[in-house]
Protein backbone atom coordinates (compact mmCIF):
# COMPACT_ATOMS: atom_id res chain seq x y z
CA UNK A 1 0.00 0.00 0.00
CA UNK A 2 1.34 3.42 -0.93
CA UNK A 3 0.57 5.84 1.91
CA UNK A 4 2.46 8.92 0.70
CA UNK A 5 3.93 10.45 -2.44
CA UNK A 6 6.32 13.36 -3.02
CA UNK A 7 7.63 14.77 -6.29
CA UNK A 8 10.97 16.57 -6.52
CA UNK A 9 10.07 20.16 -7.54
CA UNK A 10 13.41 20.61 -9.36
CA UNK A 11 13.34 17.24 -11.13
CA UNK A 12 9.71 16.09 -11.55
CA UNK A 13 10.75 12.68 -12.86
CA UNK A 14 12.06 11.95 -9.34
CA UNK A 15 9.23 10.60 -7.22
CA UNK A 16 9.27 9.16 -3.69
CA UNK A 17 6.64 6.66 -2.49
CA UNK A 18 6.12 5.87 1.20
CA UNK A 19 4.56 2.47 1.79
CA UNK A 20 2.77 0.61 4.54
CA UNK A 21 4.97 -2.45 4.41
CA UNK A 22 8.17 -1.85 2.51
CA UNK A 23 9.60 1.56 3.36
CA UNK A 24 10.38 4.41 0.97
CA UNK A 25 10.96 3.88 -2.74
CA UNK A 26 12.44 6.34 -5.25
CA UNK A 27 12.06 6.57 -9.00
CA UNK A 28 14.30 8.89 -11.02
CA UNK A 29 12.74 8.03 -14.37
CA UNK A 30 9.12 9.03 -13.86
CA UNK A 31 8.06 5.69 -12.39
CA UNK A 32 9.52 3.34 -14.98
CA UNK A 33 11.75 1.78 -12.33
CA UNK A 34 11.97 1.99 -8.51
CA UNK A 35 14.66 1.53 -5.87
CA UNK A 36 13.99 1.07 -2.16
CA UNK A 37 15.90 3.82 -0.34
CA UNK A 38 14.67 3.45 3.26
CA UNK A 39 14.07 0.16 5.09
CA UNK A 40 14.38 -3.36 3.83
CA UNK A 41 17.89 -3.28 2.47
CA UNK A 42 21.13 -1.80 3.62
CA UNK A 43 19.38 0.34 6.27
CA UNK A 44 17.11 -1.75 8.46
CA UNK A 45 16.02 -5.02 6.87
CA UNK A 46 12.61 -6.35 7.90
CA UNK A 47 12.24 -4.07 10.92
CA UNK A 48 10.44 -0.86 10.18
CA UNK A 49 7.32 1.18 10.68
CA UNK A 50 4.84 2.20 7.97
CA UNK A 51 5.67 5.45 6.18
CA UNK A 52 2.63 7.75 6.37
CA UNK A 53 3.95 11.07 5.05
CA UNK A 54 6.73 12.44 2.85
CA UNK A 55 7.98 15.99 2.25
CA UNK A 56 10.70 17.49 0.08
CA UNK A 57 12.45 20.76 0.91
CA UNK A 58 11.30 23.24 -1.78
CA UNK A 59 14.64 25.10 -1.70
CA UNK A 60 16.90 22.04 -1.61
CA UNK A 61 15.24 18.91 -3.05
CA UNK A 62 18.11 16.75 -1.78
CA UNK A 63 16.46 17.10 1.66
CA UNK A 64 13.61 14.60 2.03
CA UNK A 65 11.56 13.78 5.13
CA UNK A 66 9.59 10.60 5.91
CA UNK A 67 7.19 10.29 8.87
CA UNK A 68 6.63 6.81 10.26
CA UNK A 69 4.11 5.03 12.41
CA UNK A 70 4.34 3.78 16.00
CA UNK A 71 6.66 0.86 16.46
CA UNK A 72 10.25 0.04 15.65
CA UNK A 73 12.05 2.91 13.88
CA UNK A 74 9.13 5.31 14.36
CA UNK A 75 9.84 9.02 14.06
CA UNK A 76 10.86 11.45 11.37
CA UNK A 77 13.56 10.28 8.98
CA UNK A 78 15.63 12.86 7.08
CA UNK A 79 17.83 12.45 4.04
CA UNK A 80 20.17 15.23 2.88
CA UNK A 81 21.33 13.40 -0.25
CA UNK A 82 18.09 12.71 -2.10
CA UNK A 83 17.33 9.46 -0.31
CA UNK A 84 20.81 7.93 -0.38
CA UNK A 85 21.17 7.89 3.42
CA UNK A 86 18.73 8.63 6.24
CA UNK A 87 18.87 9.80 9.87
CA UNK A 88 16.11 9.14 12.43
CA UNK A 89 14.89 11.90 14.73
CA UNK A 90 12.73 11.25 17.79
CA UNK A 91 14.00 13.97 20.19
CA UNK A 92 10.92 15.57 21.69
CA UNK A 93 8.40 13.22 20.06
CA UNK A 94 6.17 11.06 22.29
CA UNK A 95 7.14 7.44 22.88
CA UNK A 96 4.23 5.56 21.33
CA UNK A 97 2.87 7.58 18.46
CA UNK A 98 1.72 7.55 14.88
CA UNK A 99 2.89 10.35 12.62
CA UNK A 100 0.45 11.00 9.78
CA UNK A 101 1.45 14.32 8.27
CA UNK A 102 4.43 16.52 7.46
CA UNK A 103 4.64 20.13 6.29
CA UNK A 104 7.61 22.40 5.64
CA UNK A 105 7.53 26.17 5.98
CA UNK A 106 8.00 27.34 2.37
CA UNK A 107 9.98 30.43 3.41
CA UNK A 108 12.05 28.77 6.16
CA UNK A 109 12.17 25.05 5.27
CA UNK A 110 14.19 24.19 8.39
CA UNK A 111 10.86 24.72 10.17
CA UNK A 112 9.04 21.40 9.89
CA UNK A 113 5.69 20.33 11.33
CA UNK A 114 4.68 16.73 12.08
CA UNK A 115 1.09 15.73 12.84
CA UNK A 116 0.50 12.84 15.22
CA UNK A 117 -2.53 10.81 16.23
CA UNK A 118 -3.62 11.71 19.77
CA UNK A 119 -0.60 13.98 20.25
CA UNK A 120 -1.23 17.04 18.05
CA UNK A 121 1.26 18.96 15.94
CA UNK A 122 4.96 18.93 16.74
CA UNK A 123 7.30 21.64 15.46
CA UNK A 124 10.99 21.56 14.60
CA UNK A 125 13.02 24.67 13.85
CA UNK A 126 16.26 22.80 13.20
CA UNK A 127 15.36 20.73 10.16
CA UNK A 128 13.86 17.88 12.15
CA UNK A 129 16.74 17.27 14.57
CA UNK A 130 14.52 18.01 17.59
CA UNK A 131 10.80 18.56 18.14
CA UNK A 132 8.64 20.74 20.39
CA UNK A 133 5.24 19.38 21.49
CA UNK A 134 2.08 21.42 21.10
CA UNK A 135 1.25 23.90 23.85
CA UNK A 136 -1.57 23.15 26.25
CA UNK A 137 -4.93 23.59 24.58
CA UNK A 138 -7.05 21.90 21.92
CA UNK A 139 -4.06 20.71 19.87
CA UNK A 140 -2.38 18.92 22.79
CA UNK A 141 -4.21 15.62 22.20
CA UNK A 142 -5.66 16.19 18.74
CA UNK A 143 -5.73 13.40 16.16
CA UNK A 144 -3.97 15.06 13.22
CA UNK A 145 -4.23 13.45 9.79
CA UNK A 146 -3.19 16.30 7.48
CA UNK A 147 -1.15 19.52 7.62
CA UNK A 148 -0.88 22.55 5.33
CA UNK A 149 0.96 25.85 5.58
CA UNK A 150 -0.25 29.08 4.01
CA UNK A 151 2.48 29.87 1.43
CA UNK A 152 1.97 33.63 1.68
CA UNK A 153 1.84 33.64 5.50
CA UNK A 154 3.75 30.63 6.87
CA UNK A 155 2.73 31.40 10.46
CA UNK A 156 -0.72 30.08 9.48
CA UNK A 157 -0.73 26.31 9.89
CA UNK A 158 -3.79 24.18 9.16
CA UNK A 159 -4.39 20.76 10.75
CA UNK A 160 -6.93 18.27 9.47
CA UNK A 161 -8.61 16.40 12.32
CA UNK A 162 -11.47 13.82 12.33
CA UNK A 163 -14.24 16.38 12.82
CA UNK A 164 -12.88 19.31 10.82
CA UNK A 165 -9.95 21.70 10.71
CA UNK A 166 -7.87 23.54 13.25
CA UNK A 167 -5.92 26.71 12.41
CA UNK A 168 -2.94 28.26 14.12
CA UNK A 169 -2.07 31.84 13.24
CA UNK A 170 1.23 31.88 15.15
CA UNK A 171 3.12 28.89 13.81
Amino acid sequence: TVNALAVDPAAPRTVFAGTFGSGVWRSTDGGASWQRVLFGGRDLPDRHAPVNALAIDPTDPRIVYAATDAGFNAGVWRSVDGGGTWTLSTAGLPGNFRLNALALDPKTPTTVYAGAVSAGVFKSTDGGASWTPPAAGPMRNARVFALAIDPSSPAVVWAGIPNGLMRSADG
Side-chain angles (χ1 to χ4, degrees):
T1 302
V2 175
N3 292 341
L5 293 168
V7 177
D8 182 333
R13 292 182 53 80
T14 298
V15 180
F16 290 85
T19 68
F20 179 80
S22 64
V24 175
W25 293 75
R26 177 184 62 208
S27 173
T28 57
D29 56 12
S33 63
W34 294 87
Q35 173 190 18
R36 187 171 9 200
V37 294
L38 179 63
F39 302 140
R42 66 188 183 289
D43 300 295
L44 303 159
D46 302 324
R47 297 187 68 187
H48 61 277
V51 177
N52 296 322
L54 294 167
I56 298 174
D57 184 323
T59 63
D60 184 353
R62 295 173 300 168
I63 300 174
V64 182
Y65 296 89
T68 58
D69 211 323
F72 189 78
N73 296 321
V76 176
W77 290 84
R78 180 177 185 242
S79 174
V80 296
D81 58 6
T85 59
W86 297 80
T87 303
L88 175 63
S89 172
T90 59
L93 294 171
N96 187 14
F97 57 94
R98 177 180 175 185
L99 294 176
N100 283 329
L102 288 171
L104 278 64
D105 180 323
K107 293 185 179 174
T108 310
T110 55
T111 298
V112 184
Y113 297 90
V117 169
S118 301
V121 178
F122 290 78
K123 181 178 181 178
S124 173
T125 57
D126 56 11
S130 62
W131 299 88
T132 302
M139 284 306 298
R140 179 59 111 179
N141 295 314
R143 297 177 66 206
V144 177
F145 291 96
L147 289 171
I149 298 174
D150 183 332
S152 62
S153 180
V156 176
V157 180
W158 292 89
I161 59 174
N163 57 346
L165 295 170
M166 296 188 86
R167 179 182 179 270
S168 169
D170 62 3

